[in-house]
Amino acid sequence: MLWSGEAPGWPVVLADGPVVLRPYRRSDARAWSHVRRINESWLAKWEPTPYGSWHELNSPATFRAVYADLRRSARRGTAMPFAVCVVDDGRERLAGQLTLGNIVRRAFCSAYAGYWVDSRVAGRGVMPTALALAVDHAFRSGGLHRIEVNIRPENTPSRRVVEKLGFREEAYHPRYLHIDGAWRDHVGYALTSEDVAGEGGLLARWHRLQAAASSS
Ligand SMILES: CC(C)(COP(=O)(O)OP(=O)(O)OC[C@H]1O[C@@H](n2cnc3c(N)ncnc32)[C@H](O)[C@@H]1OP(=O)(O)O)[C@@H](O)C(=O)NCCC(=O)NCCS
């Protein structure tokens, strides 16, 4: 599908139950820095090799640079960078990030998804819900046809996220990305809009799977 608009489907706020996806705000700096800093041992082993200390790279000042960069990419239509929030007791708390990045349009209409959550909300299905919301939006309003996720083979929690949602395992990429100090192999998963069109979308599929799991 070809698009005349520069950034179809952006900005947007998406929600399902306690999970809210929204664009970052400048005022997220302190919350972002705090959650990133307290999660160093949880996140660093899965993230691009840092070029400085974790503390500095996750400061409020760094956030402001990251924010400006993400906002530019989003306006150009090359990324949909969502802040992932969780509503607890009526309060919305920044709990992670989900970015559909490297968006290429024309004949490809594809994006890579990257994500993380605060370890304090891990295991509650936050990221599968967030990914399902983002994928449905990307297919319905973002002009995209395919979403790809590349994961280190040993990252079982992340592989579970895409496997539970029914992404297809498509590729093995040796020494694909420089993560945590070395070139790391990745397993490539993907989903196209046809895969979920007949099921009412990926979120509907995820809800059905959760309902089936809780009734068995
Ligand atoms: C990968 C990640 C985003 C998953 O998010 P999530 O919201 O916890 O996803 P889920 O609730 O569906 O849990 C996924 C799996 O995590 C594991 N898990 C569950 N609770 C957990 C906990 N408290 N701590 C660690 N892992 C847990 C389980 O294997 C679970 O799979 P299951 O549902 O089949 O049991 C999260 O683990 C994370 O941020 N990890 C660090 C960063 C990262 O790996 N990013 C992805 C790089 S490709």
Side-chain angles (χ1 to χ4, degrees), residues 4 30 33-34 49 55 57 73 84 87 89 97 113 115 155 162 166 169:
S4 53
R30 274 180 176 282
S33 174
H34 176 70
T49 303
H55 193 79
L57 289 171
S73 302
V84 176
V87 180
D89 292 331
Q97 179 168 331
Y115 47 72
N155 192 344
V162 290
E169 187 177 324

Side-chain angles (χ1 to χ4, degrees), residues 42-43 46 115-117 119 121-128 150-151 155-158 160-161 164:
W42 169 253
L43 298 176
W46 309 119
Y115 47 72
W116 58 267
V117 293
S119 62
V121 303
R124 289 168 46 180
V126 170
M127 194 45 70
N150 292 292
I151 304 174
N155 192 344
T156 305
S158 186
R160 287 296 300 143
V161 169
K164 285 190 289 188

Side-chain angles (χ1 to χ4, degrees), residues 170-216:
E170 289 190 342
Y172 193 86
H173 307 291
R175 299 174 297 284
Y176 187 60
L177 292 171
H178 210 275
I179 301 290
D180 192 30
W183 291 106
R184 310 286 185 179
D185 295 358
H186 281 69
V187 182
Y189 292 86
L191 195 72
T192 65
S193 55
E194 294 86 350
D195 293 324
V196 290
E199 298 179 50
L202 190 55
L203 188 65
R205 175 192 282 182
W206 172 233
H207 283 165
R208 271 195 298 276
L209 291 166
Q210 285 177 301
S214 66
S215 69
S216 66

Side-chain angles (χ1 to χ4, degrees), residues 122-178:
R124 289 168 46 180
V126 170
M127 194 45 70
T129 302
L131 186 56
L133 279 166
V135 166
D136 281 346
H137 178 71
F139 289 165
R140 289 172 185 157
S141 309
L144 298 185
H145 170 250
R146 179 173 177 276
I147 304 294
E148 181 170 336
V149 187
N150 292 292
I151 304 174
R152 289 177 60 183
E154 57 272 48
N155 192 344
T156 305
S158 186
R159 294 184 73 171
R160 287 296 300 143
V161 169
V162 290
E163 286 168 1
K164 285 190 289 188
L165 291 173
F167 277 65
R168 222 178 356 266
E169 187 177 324
E170 289 190 342
Y172 193 86
H173 307 291
R175 299 174 297 284
Y176 187 60
L177 292 171
H178 210 275

